[in-house]
Every structure is written in C-alpha cells, then in structure tokens.
Amino acid sequence: MFIDDVKEQYGQIPEDAEQLINDVIGKYSKKEVETLKNELFKTFTVFPETQKLAKFFDSHKPKVKVYYWCKCNDCGCEYDYKLPFCPSCEREGKHSSGYKVIKTDYEPAKKYVQLNKPWITPYNVNGHKDMNGECVFCKRVQKPQESFCYHFGDPDYHCKYMGCDESSCKCSNCCSFYMRLQRKENERMGA
C-alpha cells in the first residue's frame, strides 16, 4: 500500500499529509501508483511539507479515461461511435439525420449499443450476399445492446472453457464463423 511504503521510506508522517495522500491516491491506477511512488522517492530525500506534497500530486495528475459514443438526433439511441449508422433507425428502415457525440469520463449506460461487426457487409454468416447478415439486422437479436462480445471472432478465446454459456449467447453462430475465418487468415499469413 502506498502510505505504508511512504512511511517505510520517510518514517512517521504528519496527519494532514497522510489525509492528503488518502484523499488523492484512490484516483490513480495501480501502475500509476507505482510510478508515482518511485517519482516521489526520487524527488524528495526527506518527506516534503504538505503544501509541497500537494503541488507534487497536482503536477502528477492521474490519466483520466475518456469515453465517446454517439446519440442519434432522431430516435435518441446511444451507440458506439465506430458504427457508421444508428442501429435503431437502421432496424426500423429509417435514415438518421445525424448524431451528437457524447464525451464523458464514465462508461456509457447499459442501453449503449455496440455490435460485433461495426462495418457494413453485404454477406451473411454463410457467405451469401444478403444485407440481413449484418449484426444490426440479425434475426436472433431482439436487443442489439446485448449482442456485443469483447471476444467476438477471437480464435484464441474458447468460450466454453472460459465460462461463457454458448447456449445463451446471441451471437455464437456469427462468432464461430468469424473465428474460423480469422483462424484461416492466421494460418495463411503464417501466424
């Protein structure tokens, strides 16, 4: 723990400095805490005054992860910014007039729509030309926000061994198709 390492390095520290450290340290990732600790030890040979410590923390602010996504101007659907269209309007056969980009430092809500295939492809899982093969039109998916998998098409990820219930997975057919394609491509490339 950061505070214990600081006490080990500098000995006893003032209460107000300890409070400052406890208030600030939770904003950093584990990797950032380690870097911060090393930087603190390099910068100060003796424990700094609380004001200097506060300035040190200000100059070493944690990286804040920023999230972006789109919100359709017409239907209000919130979706992944990598999608070239509003999935809700597309399913309804409408043309979206545009979107607003939402930028926050917190993850989007559950209603946020991601699809495994953010590009438009005219081929379905059997390789036949068919616009209905696109994720947004998938007949199996009634709720497109539930059709996303971070391991989609990954030939090195084995769902059944990793605790994923394939029987309840709404994209298992598409996923296995793209997994086989990716495996063949890897073999072709000699990877």
Side-chain angles (χ1 to χ4, degrees):
M1 193 168 159
F2 187 84
I3 199 84
D4 295 332
D5 292 340
V6 170
K7 284 180 180 178
E8 188 178 309
Q9 177 75 17
Y10 297 114
Q12 198 59 29
I13 61 174
E15 237 179 79
D16 58 340
E18 189 171 341
Q19 183 62 46
L20 173 68
I21 291 170
N22 287 331
D23 290 345
V24 175
I25 209 67
K27 299 174 185 173
Y28 295 86
S29 69
K30 285 183 180 182
K31 188 176 180 182
E32 288 173 330
V33 166
E34 195 60 37
T35 305
L36 187 68
K37 180 176 65 175
N38 293 335
E39 192 65 32
L40 180 70
F41 294 164
K42 264 196 279 182
T43 307
F44 302 104
T45 53
V46 294
F47 191 76
E49 298 170 9
T50 306
Q51 279 186 318
K52 285 184 180 178
L53 185 62
K55 285 182 182 178
F56 173 80
F57 283 130
D58 279 344
S59 65
H60 295 83
K61 292 197 184 257
K63 292 179 183 165
V64 177
K65 188 166 183 173
V66 179
Y67 297 92
Y68 299 90
W69 69 92
C70 298
K71 183 172 184 173
C72 180
N73 290 338
D74 300 324
C75 69
C77 174
E78 294 181 11
Y79 59 95
D80 191 349
Y81 73 92
K82 292 178 285 217
L83 293 173
F85 51 79
C86 168
S88 179
C89 288
E90 199 72 21
R91 283 179 76 94
E92 299 295 320
K94 300 174 185 172
H95 182 70
S96 174
S97 64
Y99 59 88
K100 294 178 197 81
V101 175
I102 299 173
K103 175 183 166 187
T104 65
D105 57 352
Y106 57 86
E107 288 190 54
K110 286 260 188 213
K111 63 181 181 175
Y112 165 78
V113 177
Q114 295 182 79
L115 300 175
N116 289 315
K117 299 186 291 178
W119 58 91
I120 296 174
T121 175
Y123 298 97
N124 64 16
V125 294
N126 298 322
H128 298 99
K129 196 169 180 99
D130 175 15
M131 280 308 288
N132 292 334
E134 185 61 34
C135 279
V136 74
F137 295 112
C138 184
K139 303 283 189 275
R140 297 173 166 275
V141 181
Q142 297 305 312
K143 297 178 182 176
Q145 64 269 27
E146 294 177 3
S147 68
F148 182 76
C149 175
Y150 284 104
H151 307 288
F152 182 84
D154 181 355
D156 298 324
Y157 188 85
H158 303 287
C159 300
K160 61 184 171 187
Y161 302 119
M162 305 291 191
C164 191
D165 182 12
E166 287 185 69
S167 63
S168 67
C169 182
K170 293 175 173 54
C171 54
S172 59
N173 288 344
C174 294
C175 190
S176 60
F177 172 76
Y178 279 92
M179 194 182 298
R180 287 191 302 274
L181 277 183
Q182 188 61 50
R183 193 172 286 131
K184 285 179 187 174
E185 183 65 20
N186 289 349
E187 288 169 4
R188 190 177 71 78
M189 298 299 282

